[in-house]
Amino acid sequence: MPVITNISEEPFYFILTGIPGLEAMHIWISIPFCCLYMISILGNTTILAVIQTESLLHQPMYLFLSMLALTDLGLTLTTLPTVMQLLWFNVQEISFEACFAQFFFLHGFSFMESSVLLAMAYDRFVAICRPLHYASILTETVIGRIGIAIVIRCVLAVLPSLFLLKRLPFCHSHLLSHSYCLHQDMIRLVCADTRINSWYGFVLVLLIIVLDPLLILVSYGLILHSVLGTASHAERIKALNNCLSHILAVLILYVPMVGLSMVHRFARHAPPLVHVVMANVYLLSPPVMNPIIYSVKTKQIRQGIHRLLFQGKVH
């Protein structure tokens, strides 16, 4: 009986793809990508520095914001090496182990982003609907436990899909359609039964990609019910304005996520450029836009950035 040797036991690599049809222009395309990565890194590190240095920002809302910034920073640094070395130096090969490591961190941070936004929705619910109990409910201990729970949840969500995929033989083309290792991209190269992987992926979609935004919608439904039922017009505007940054962050994550999933499931024969653009929008939009949104919409963050940048001049 013939034995299929697991490809992971041999010297093995995947081949990454840049921008299809525009390979000759990679060096020019690298300029906007480099700018976006720099904006993400500088923006999120600035948010973290402001929250760290400003004692008045050591409150639940800003502690959750620091979790979001850390997650965005992790997501950025996960894809940056393979994307930029491909665009700058045309390095397309990535080893089996490195690809799975990137797979783990990429999907882990992506799920973590969703989980942190859910925690932030709960924070807004407590702040608006239970203001008198806000400080007693969301203590530093509780926030720390929420953070640990988010990390454990995301690790436990990604590890099974990683091991389920790693045990399968890859005997089709080694060519991936992106400049990083996505699960949806890697699994199409498998030449074995992937039903277990598909079912686990379906369960994961229900538990995170469907459940998280559903719970966020429920929290905002309760917020609207509370605000419309008791507050004056001015208080309603103020309460909804306090939630605006979070609502924009939710839309920036879930709209591209749903779009990418739809493209992978229902537009498999679409031009490769469509898949690449959708994936890059999905992975780059939250880390780039979140620090901009919170810097523009949150007065305390703006003031903190101003003090951080000009405190040297003041002294």
Side-chain angles (χ1 to χ4, degrees):
M1 181 178 180
V3 178
I4 297 176
T5 305
N6 191 323
I7 203 75
S8 64
E9 295 172 359
E10 305 169 1
F12 182 77
Y13 55 85
F14 291 101
I15 301 171
L16 302 171
T17 300
I19 311 299
L22 300 173
E23 289 82 3
M25 299 180 65
H26 273 179
I27 194 66
W28 296 106
I29 294 171
S30 71
I31 295 172
F33 271 89
C34 188
C35 291
L36 290 172
Y37 278 122
M38 290 302 297
I39 290 169
S40 174
I41 292 169
L42 289 174
N44 286 295
T45 50
T46 300
I47 294 286
L48 288 170
V50 167
I51 294 172
Q52 172 67 29
T53 55
E54 295 283 330
S55 57
L56 292 176
L57 298 184
H58 294 176
Q59 301 173 26
M61 173 183 170
Y62 301 105
L63 294 177
F64 284 123
L65 178 57
S66 67
M67 291 184 196
L68 187 66
L70 276 172
T71 303
D72 285 335
L73 204 54
L75 195 57
T76 297
L77 296 176
T78 297
T79 60
L80 185 150
T82 54
V83 172
M84 295 315 299
Q85 73 177 2
L86 192 151
L87 294 177
W88 279 341
F89 310 112
N90 199 34
V91 177
Q92 292 183 273
E93 295 182 3
I94 181 171
S95 69
F96 186 84
E97 292 77 13
C99 195
F100 272 95
Q102 189 179 54
F103 160 93
F104 172 78
F105 286 108
L106 195 157
H107 288 284
F109 282 121
S110 179
F111 291 154
M112 203 173 292
E113 182 110 7
S114 178
S115 301
V116 172
L117 288 174
L118 176 58
M120 294 175 83
Y122 177 68
D123 167 75
R124 293 298 80 206
F125 165 74
V126 176
I128 294 171
C129 300
R130 302 287 186 273
L132 298 178
H133 305 285
Y134 183 60
S136 61
I137 292 174
L138 287 173
T139 63
E140 287 190 5
T141 303
V142 170
I143 294 169
R145 288 173 180 171
I146 290 173
I148 293 169
I150 287 172
V151 172
I152 293 172
R153 180 198 193 205
C154 296
V155 169
L156 292 179
V158 177
L159 277 181
S161 59
L162 187 149
F163 289 126
L164 284 171
L165 184 59
K166 196 171 183 181
R167 70 187 175 86
L168 298 173
F170 292 85
C171 54
H172 291 163
S173 166
H174 300 171
L175 182 64
L176 298 172
S177 58
H178 300 290
S179 48
Y180 32 77
C181 299
L182 282 173
H183 178 266
Q184 304 97 310
D185 201 14
M186 295 168 69
I187 199 167
R188 68 183 178 83
L189 305 181
V190 170
C191 55
D193 187 359
T194 59
R195 280 179 296 181
I196 296 176
N197 303 65
S198 298
W199 276 109
Y200 182 76
F202 177 71
V203 171
L204 209 56
V205 165
L206 289 179
L207 291 179
I208 294 181
I209 299 176
V210 173
L211 183 62
D212 285 5
L214 187 61
L215 291 174
I216 290 171
L217 279 175
V218 169
S219 71
Y220 274 107
L222 295 171
I223 288 170
L224 280 173
H225 181 267
S226 175
V227 168
L228 296 176
T230 59
S232 65
H233 178 72
E235 289 172 331
R236 291 172 191 170
I237 298 298
K238 182 180 178 181
L240 294 176
N241 190 53
N242 286 338
C243 297
L244 184 59
S245 299
H246 180 257
I247 292 170
L248 292 174
V250 169
L251 292 175
I252 286 169
L253 175 66
Y254 289 113
V255 171
M257 182 186 286
V258 171
L260 182 62
S261 299
M262 297 290 283
V263 166
H264 272 287
R265 290 187 179 276
F266 304 112
R268 294 180 182 178
H269 301 296
L273 186 60
V274 173
H275 292 263
V276 170
V277 169
M278 287 299 299
N280 284 318
V281 169
Y282 161 58
L283 290 174
L284 284 173
S285 294
V288 171
M289 293 304 300
N290 284 341
I292 295 173
I293 289 169
Y294 278 95
S295 298
V296 170
K297 293 298 299 177
T298 310
K299 181 181 177 181
Q300 292 83 349
I301 295 293
R302 284 202 311 273
Q303 292 173 341
I305 292 172
H306 185 270
R307 282 191 288 270
L308 186 69
L309 293 177
F310 299 105
Q311 63 183 352
K313 295 182 180 180
V314 173
H315 292 300

